Amino acid sequence: MLTIREYARPKTMDEAMALLKSNKKSQVLGGGMLMLKLGDKTIDLGVDLVDLGLDYIKPIENAVEIGAMATFHEIETDPYLKDCFSGMWSDAMKHIVGVQFRNLATLGATAYSKYAFSDPNTALLALDAELVMYGDRRMAFDEFLAKRKRRFDILEKIVIKNPETTKAAFDSIRRSKGDFAVLNAAASVCEGKYRISVGIRPRVAKLATGAMDYLNENGLTPETAKTAAKMAADELDFGTNLRASGEYRKAVTPALVERVLLKLL
Ligand SMILES: Cc1cc2nc3c(=O)[nH]c(=O)nc-3n(C[C@H](O)[C@H](O)[C@H](O)COP(=O)(O)OP(=O)(O)OC[C@H]3O[C@@H](n4cnc5c(N)ncnc54)[C@H](O)[C@@H]3O)c2cc1C
């Protein structure tokens, strides 16, 4: 059972950080509590970000800012995002459980928690997203995934560049509707630069950098898509969990990656 002894609703980011640091067993409440409430845990002080206005999706010059508390469903259905990234965000979100669930889960919670089973994280990696932490500390998402987290931190927003000129695609393999995916993949291209990420390997999403270099040199055609997809499967490592074996994941990666690459043509 989850127990929260004290609850606070700060009105500013500075106040939220001060509260967080005031108690060793404090925790940010910045999502729908979907994962938090699954655990058996006692939090001395829950710092709820709900009054900080972090639930926005805001186009700025050559980028879009997504507040950490924007929900999956807001991102899936946002009219501006629907016209950006070839509509990838809708594809990345629409298979996650159901609408009521997606109205609670937030992008900030899934990105900050580096969940390996995440669909949005694979999309964020392919889009070269930037995380903006408390105090305007900025970090590329791939760098964030590779680093240890600070004990006290707050993710404020996620910035994705070139929303109107980036082509992108996302796809996943699920054994049944509403279940976690067995594997997912995303790809993007902007100004001739390709990115490919594969997630739920079952480890956290990773870039297939060799396959990306190959496409950057040779361009994308149906033939190079096939070769790059095979390269991605060869260069990434895969593991086994309850949903699928590492061998299965490796075997289906070429088909999944080729599928997302072909959508960029
Ligand atoms: C049954 C089930 C099925 C699921 N299926 C899928 C799926 O198919 N695909 C998928 O992608 N995901 C799936 N998820 C994950 C889900 O979509 C959410 O990503 C996840 O539950 C986190 O959601 P939340 O917003 O409720 O976060 P919470 O549980 O509220 O928070 C998670 C963590 O993030 C921290 N946090 C939240 N916001 C911030 C912030 N701004 N700064 C710093 N830390 C913060 C919290 O302190 C907490 O530690 C599933 C989850 C469940 C329970």
Side-chain angles (χ1 to χ4, degrees):
M1 192 179 75
L2 174 68
T3 306
I4 301 177
R5 291 192 206 277
E6 270 188 78
Y7 172 80
R9 278 175 66 155
K11 301 289 179 240
T12 65
M13 268 293 205
D14 288 343
E15 198 191 333
M17 185 50 95
L19 281 162
L20 207 57
K21 286 184 171 171
S22 72
N23 190 313
K24 273 190 191 156
K25 288 182 78 184
S26 61
Q27 179 107 31
V28 170
L29 308 178
M33 314 263 307
L34 296 160
M35 288 304 280
L36 263 182
K37 72 184 178 195
L38 289 182
D40 189 12
K41 184 171 186 181
T42 298
I43 297 171
D44 278 350
L45 175 62
V47 181
D48 194 338
L49 308 183
V50 71
D51 289 338
L52 301 186
L54 299 179
D55 56 345
Y56 54 84
I57 296 166
K58 196 164 55 186
I60 56 165
E61 203 185 336
N62 290 330
V64 58
E65 292 186 342
I66 305 180
M69 289 192 77
T71 67
F72 286 8
H73 195 54
E74 282 166 346
I75 294 165
E76 175 189 354
T77 55
D78 183 74
Y80 177 73
L81 281 183
K82 270 193 176 251
D83 286 339
C84 299
F85 308 116
S86 323
M88 175 218 238
W89 277 111
S90 179
D91 290 338
M93 298 301 197
K94 68 186 179 194
H95 295 296
I96 301 172
V97 192
V99 171
Q100 286 168 312
F101 184 96
R102 300 200 292 278
N103 273 329
L104 295 171
T106 67
L107 188 63
T110 205
Y112 184 78
S113 304
K114 306 183 182 183
Y115 290 132
F117 53 74
S118 169
D119 294 302
N121 286 353
T122 302
L124 287 173
L125 194 57
L127 294 177
D128 199 10
E130 183 183 56
L131 302 195
V132 182
M133 314 299 293
Y134 171 78
D136 204 30
R137 208 157 29 83
R138 288 167 186 258
M139 210 179 311
F141 190 49
D142 48 0
E143 187 192 338
F144 176 75
L145 289 180
K147 270 193 175 168
R148 274 174 78 97
K149 284 193 282 196
R150 295 185 175 189
R151 166 62 188 95
F152 298 110
D153 216 346
I154 302 174
L155 172 60
E156 186 182 338
K157 64 185 170 190
I158 291 154
V159 183
I160 314 174
K161 291 196 195 90
N162 304 314
E164 290 164 31
T165 50
T166 300
K167 278 187 176 182
F170 174 94
D171 210 336
S172 62
I173 296 174
R174 286 178 151 75
R175 291 166 68 112
S176 60
K177 199 170 174 334
D179 195 3
F180 288 100
V182 165
L183 189 78
N184 60 25
S188 75
V189 59
C190 183
E191 292 165 8
K193 285 257 175 214
Y194 289 87
R195 286 176 73 91
I196 303 168
S197 66
V198 180
I200 325 189
R201 301 171 297 108
R203 299 172 197 114
V204 75
K206 201 169 177 184
L207 293 172
T209 51
M212 284 158 48
D213 289 345
Y214 169 78
L215 286 181
N216 290 338
E217 275 171 31
N218 297 284
L220 182 66
T221 65
E223 292 72 35
T224 59
K226 196 176 267 307
T227 306
K230 171 88 176 54
M231 287 173 77
D234 288 342
E235 71 181 278
L236 294 171
D237 53 325
F238 298 88
T240 298
N241 67 358
L242 274 178
R243 284 182 178 74
S245 66
E247 290 76 19
Y248 176 80
R249 288 187 162 95
K250 197 176 179 67
V252 296
T253 292
L256 191 64
V257 172
E258 185 182 355
R259 206 183 295 163
V260 290
L261 286 174
L262 291 178
K263 288 187 198 168
L264 304 183
L265 281 173

